[in-house]
């Protein structure tokens, strides 16, 4: 459904020297800085797949999604989505995909959502009956019927996001690019959006590429993730395998020290695991198979107030991956 082949995009930004004379100098000799927001990114996504697109701030996720939506042109490389070349910006392509930018408002601010939906019906030339049917389904799934006539600017962030999703789905796109659709939402709204996306993906077999900095979104919705860092793809595969890693599942041993007591600041276990002391506690990450031995080793070091063993959160796994790269 989505084929991306060595997609790259460089941004050229003008570097201004500080101060007045810097500005004057810039009039004669411009210095540019080139930044590769996406570098040779390739992947392919099958119909109906729900793929997580991860990367730290500035990794190039939004840039890539915008290229797939035809909003910006790639510097090199190519992409096809459902057989279309997004750069051609064909109307037929517009009818089969949707891009939701959580950071941006796409609805008309001074109109009630229902008016925007009516406008979209005309823009996409959706038959009235189909429009009504889709709208009813979405409104019920997202539980926003009571808010359809409220001015968009008066809606809460969560309600507005739900309306954005409805607006994006009214024309029944086959491919969805979701860029942080849960940003800033409280836990309850996040869960509502997540449940909606899961149900919608199952029911309509839409292909979804989702970016989010909330790992719960990714863990609950995506089996596969693509990770990019500084514009380059560094991982593409099962989320499970990413979490497990090559060293087997890792767990976190948190040792709380009694007050006024401390281990040596740098402690090295016999298993070669180095750790740092951190405000009255020691956090060690060990492969599951060694957790028991390492915990015992910690307990022999001195008095311990409490000890807990936790799974390493996905956030940490990913942060490690970024650091390694
Ligand atoms: N129009 C632009 N002009 C110049 N540089 C840009 C432009 N758009 C993006 N960039 C740069 O490209 C890089 C990638 O940006 P992008 O928005 O794709 O990151 P992102 O992965 O979506 O990050 P975030 O998680 O913060 O949303 C950044 O360093 C950004 O500053
Ligand atoms: Mg972004």
């Amino acid at each position: 459904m989505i084929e991306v082949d060595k997609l790259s995009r460089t941004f050229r930004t003008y570097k201004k020297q500080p101060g007045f004379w810097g500005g004057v100098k810039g009039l004669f000799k411009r210095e540019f800085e080139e930044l590769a927001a996406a570098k040779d990114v390739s992947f392919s996504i099958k119909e109906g797949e729900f793929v997580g697109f991860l990367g730290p701030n500035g990794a190039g996720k939004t840039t890539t999604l915008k290229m797939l939506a035809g909003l910006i042109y790639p510097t090199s490389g190519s992409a096809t989505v459902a057989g279309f070349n997004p750069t051609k910006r064909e109307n037929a392509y517009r009818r089969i995909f949707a891009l939701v930018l959580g950071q941006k408002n796409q609805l008309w601010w001074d109109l009630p959502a229902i008016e925007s939906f009516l406008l979209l019906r005309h823009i996409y030339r959706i038959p009235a009956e189909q429009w009504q049917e889709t709208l009813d389904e979405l409104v019920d799934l997202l539980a926003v019927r009571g808010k359809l006539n409220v001015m968009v600017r008066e809606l809460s962030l969560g309600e507005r996001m739900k309306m954005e999703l409805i607006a994006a789905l009214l024309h029944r796109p086959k491919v969805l690019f979701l860029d942080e659709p849960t940003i800033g939402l409280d836990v309850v709204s996040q869960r509502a959006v997540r449940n909606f996306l899961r149900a919608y993906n199952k029911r309509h077999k839409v292909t979804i590429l989702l970016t989010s900095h909330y790992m719960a979104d990714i863990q609950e919705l995506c089996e596969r993730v693509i990770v990019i860092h500084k514009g380059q793809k560094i991982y593409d595969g099962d989320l499970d395998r990413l979490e497990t890693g090559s060293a087997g599942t890792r767990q976190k041993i948190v040792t709380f020290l009694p007050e006024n007591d401390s281990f040596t600041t740098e402690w090295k276990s016999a298993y070669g695991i180095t750790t740092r002391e951190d405000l009255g506690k020691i956090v060690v990450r060990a492969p599951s198979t060694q957790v028991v031995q390492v915990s015992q080793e910690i307990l022999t070091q001195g008095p311990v107030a409490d000890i807990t063993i936790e799974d390493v959160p996905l956030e940490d796994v990913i942060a490690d991956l970024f650091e390694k790269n």
Side-chain angles (χ1 to χ4, degrees):
M1 193 56 133
I2 306 176
E3 294 289 338
V4 175
D5 185 31
K6 296 205 171 125
L7 208 57
S8 302
R9 168 74 205 214
T10 24
F11 287 111
R12 203 160 178 236
T13 45
Y14 163 52
K15 228 170 83 188
K16 187 186 168 293
Q17 301 293 320
F20 172 74
W21 288 111
V24 172
K25 232 167 79 187
L27 290 174
F28 300 99
K29 190 168 168 274
R30 299 223 132 191
E31 276 182 42
F32 289 98
E33 203 163 59
E34 294 229 318
L35 179 116
K39 225 174 353 190
D40 289 335
V41 176
S42 303
F43 54 80
S44 93
I45 295 176
K46 287 201 281 286
E47 187 173 358
E49 260 194 290
F50 200 144
V51 179
F53 196 31
L54 305 178
N57 290 134
K61 304 178 297 292
T62 303
T63 304
T64 308
L65 292 184
K66 282 182 174 169
M67 287 193 280
L68 293 177
L71 287 183
I72 57 174
Y73 291 109
T75 315
S76 63
S78 65
T80 39
V81 183
F84 289 96
N85 176 351
T87 57
K88 291 194 180 153
R89 300 182 178 172
E90 289 161 278
N91 276 330
Y93 179 49
R94 265 173 232 205
R95 282 170 197 283
I96 60 124
F97 85 93
L99 168 70
V100 176
L101 299 166
Q103 310 252 30
K104 235 183 191 161
N105 206 61
Q106 292 172 98
L107 289 169
W108 285 269
W109 201 242
D110 293 315
L111 291 180
I114 189 73
E115 303 271 339
S116 290
F117 299 158
L118 273 164
L119 274 169
L120 288 167
R121 190 188 113 197
H122 293 289
I123 291 171
Y124 285 103
R125 301 212 184 100
I126 308 167
E129 223 171 90
Q130 181 193 320
W131 176 85
Q132 190 63 55
E133 204 179 293
T134 316
L135 183 66
D136 284 339
E137 183 198 354
L138 296 169
V139 166
D140 290 339
L141 271 172
L142 287 163
V144 282
R145 194 167 288 282
K147 301 285 174 183
L148 285 174
N149 292 305
V150 178
M151 215 83 87
V152 167
R153 68 178 137 83
E154 286 165 9
L155 294 174
S156 77
L157 191 61
E159 290 158 356
R160 211 166 72 215
M161 201 55 236
K162 290 175 179 176
M163 297 302 184
E164 294 277 350
L165 283 167
I166 294 176
L169 294 170
L170 274 177
H171 63 289
R172 296 188 181 168
K174 290 188 167 66
V175 181
L176 255 183
F177 302 118
L178 302 174
D179 195 12
E180 304 188 48
T182 52
I183 191 163
L185 304 192
D186 67 41
V187 223
V188 178
S189 307
Q190 270 187 30
R191 191 178 305 149
V193 168
R194 231 180 266 149
N195 288 343
F196 165 76
L197 291 175
R198 184 189 303 111
Y200 193 84
N201 166 257
K202 278 231 176 79
R203 196 183 289 183
H204 297 283
K205 304 274 171 288
V206 284
T207 310
I208 307 180
L209 191 53
L210 163 81
T211 81
S212 175
H213 289 291
Y214 301 112
M215 289 309 135
D217 288 347
I218 307 294
Q219 275 168 314
E220 283 189 32
L221 296 171
C222 312
E223 270 174 39
R224 173 181 165 201
V225 292
I226 295 171
V227 184
I228 62 166
H229 187 34
K230 295 186 180 157
Q232 280 177 304
K233 189 174 91 171
I234 58 171
Y235 181 86
D236 183 351
D238 282 355
L239 177 63
D240 280 351
R241 197 161 55 81
L242 180 69
E243 286 181 285
T244 316
S246 51
T249 312
R250 287 186 310 160
Q251 284 175 310
K252 202 158 91 171
I253 309 166
V254 184
T255 314
F256 295 91
L257 304 173
E259 247 180 291
N260 305 322
D261 194 57
S262 62
F263 285 173
T264 46
T265 2
E266 269 251 313
W267 175 76
K268 200 165 179 209
S269 105
Y271 297 90
I273 298 154
T274 314
T275 180
R276 220 168 13 91
E277 196 179 324
D278 178 20
L279 283 177
K281 64 182 185 193
I282 293 182
V283 182
V284 181
R285 292 212 226 140
S288 309
T289 48
Q290 293 178 1
V291 162
V292 174
Q293 291 100 306
V294 175
S295 311
Q296 279 168 349
E297 202 183 339
I298 293 173
L299 291 168
T300 61
Q301 298 274 312
V304 159
D306 195 4
I307 188 161
T308 65
I309 294 167
E310 307 157 10
D311 288 333
V312 173
L314 181 59
E315 277 88 349
D316 290 10
V317 176
I318 294 192
D320 281 358
L321 192 68
F322 296 152
E323 266 169 33
K324 257 191 266 164
N325 284 274

